[in-house]
Amino acid sequence: MSGLVAAVSGPGPVTGWRERLRPLRSLAAAARRGAFYLALPAALIILWQGLFELGLIRPILLPPPSTVARTFWTLTASGELPLHIAVSLLRVLEGFAIAAALGLILGIGIGLSRSLDQATDLTIQLIKPIPPIAWIPLAILWFGIGEAGKVYIIALGAFFPVLVNTIDGIRQTDHRYVELARILEVTRSRFIAQVVLPGALPSIMTGLRVGLMVAWICVVAAELIAASRGVGYLIMDARQLSQTDQVLVGMITIGAMGKLLDVLLKAAEHRLITWKTTYSGN
Amino acid sequence: MSAFKIASWAVAAALGLASPALADEIRLATQPIPHYAPIFVAKQKKWLDEELAKVKPGIEVKWSSFAAGPPINESFAAGQQDFGFLGDTPALIGKSVGIDTKVVGLTSSGPKSLAVIIGAGSAIKDARELKGKKVAVTKGSYAQHLLALVLEKGGLGFSDIELVNLPNAEIAPAIISGTIDAGAVWEPVISRFEAQKEIRVLADGTGLKKGVLVIIATADFVKTKPEQTRALLKAYARAAAYIKANPKEAAELVSADTKLAPDLLAQVFAKFDYNPVIGPDDVEEIRRAEVYLRTIGILKTPVDVNSWLDRTLVAEGGAK
């Protein structure tokens, strides 16, 4: 072993300075990666503040980061923002759970059954393009101005990505596996459980991640229905009072929460899909 | 194409090229409610065009309609309007966030033109019984101030009720369908639904809030075109006097603009004082509203009401 180390790192003492510095070097590499990650957002914020200082943008049209940060702090310290986030998060999770359950069940059914696919295809294709906001009048009529209507809008938005990606994932099962299963006379249930579903898993996870994103996006639409709390409500309320800084706080919060949820889902994806499926750049 | 056609196209093009340079524009942001009836009378009777023509011929008036004050603020912020007709509350909010406006006159005042309403069959007898109830108002409107004052009289605050933010037009239907218990609204909602015996007034502005609404103009416009500003105020005052003298005819004239049937509108006119001159008690009302808004944190920066109001233009051009 020491001979190998010597051969690789050249002549010198066995526990050389290179080995001692290795942990430091990987830390530096991580820091460099982190800096690269943050460079663009930081540059945009600095540019934004700079334009304001030069008097090139009117604060009512786009308040500077300093004002937005101050409003963010005030809302967090008073407990308002955490409350609104919690309320919206609950609605999103409820809606997403319903959408995911229905999307998975229907998606797997349609993916596996040609007849179900043909029976439902036209209906789904007609309803899919209708944006969640367009459903608001009906949602109010059917569910009133309570929680149910808002969860309905969110579930509707998240449903289609889950459905479409689940169907796609099942369709993409490599036909060579199908042939192989037929030759080896694998039973249909084993084939589905051990080949089709695991093969569809990457697509299904993509569908779930997109669905969760759409669910967050729909929160603003859903909270147009006479809400009194929530991040979407916060944005609309600020709009009525011409408080553009609060609008921005709401928007940034939604972006941050969306990112957080995505990170969690990605971690779950890592656990479930232990084989490499994608290309991720050089 | 026949020679005749080519010739007519050529003439049309030549005429187009020979027309005078693009006319001056004056852009008005209005709301279709009885509070601003005089401007619609001035529009229908062409008095606005007349008065503007005396200053400079060829001024074009561009009309936009909005559902409430806050959208008017947005339009001003985007630089799209010269004059706006809105309540004291949204006007103050707009000024405080940096929209550079001046109040050049009042559109109207009328303590009975805004009210807290409840269902006709409701058991609520006074403001104290609003505790714990669902009460709706358009946030950022002058009705929110009235609601605060009415609640205060009953010893309550906004934390004692469940506040629901709804547009003015949706509040009465929501009360009738039972989704909410009460709401703070302004005309024509009050008269329209009272006539249908669906709602009744719990408390209006009498003794609490005069219900002052203002005509704002961009500070730039007032500075560079004071004559046109005076012309608009003159037309407004003329129309105000007309409404007072001929309520029935005026109601017929602007029923469509204010979205209220003529006979109801004629009655509603009695609730308003359309004189655009800003009196000292009006200044006091606006100042009181400014203090209230700052106290509840809606105004982040104070508004110097004295410098914001320009009382001179309307005194020279106004009715009195």
Side-chain angles (χ1 to χ4, degrees), chain A residues 58-61 71 144-145 226-228 233 236-237 239-243 245-246, chain B residues 70 73-74 77 93 97-99 138-140 163-166 179-180 297-298 300:
Chain A
R58 291 164 59 203
I60 186 181
L61 296 180
T71 308
I145 56 175
S228 48
Y233 160 77
M236 289 303 145
D237 190 44
R239 178 200 174 188
Q240 293 226 205
L241 303 176
S242 296
Q243 287 168 351
D245 52 345
Q246 199 169 302
Chain B
N73 277 336
E74 287 175 355
I93 292 174
V97 295
I99 304 176
T138 304
K139 283 191 86 172
L163 191 64
V164 180
N165 186 10
L166 283 179
T179 3
I180 55 173
I298 286 185
K300 300 274 169 69

Side-chain angles (χ1 to χ4, degrees), chain B residues 11 55 86 97 100 115 152 164 169 192 228 239 255 268 288:
Chain B
V11 170
V55 174
L86 67 176
V97 295
D100 196 10
E152 201 182 50
V164 180
R192 191 188 294 142
Q228 292 187 26
S255 163
V268 164
R288 221 178 293 145

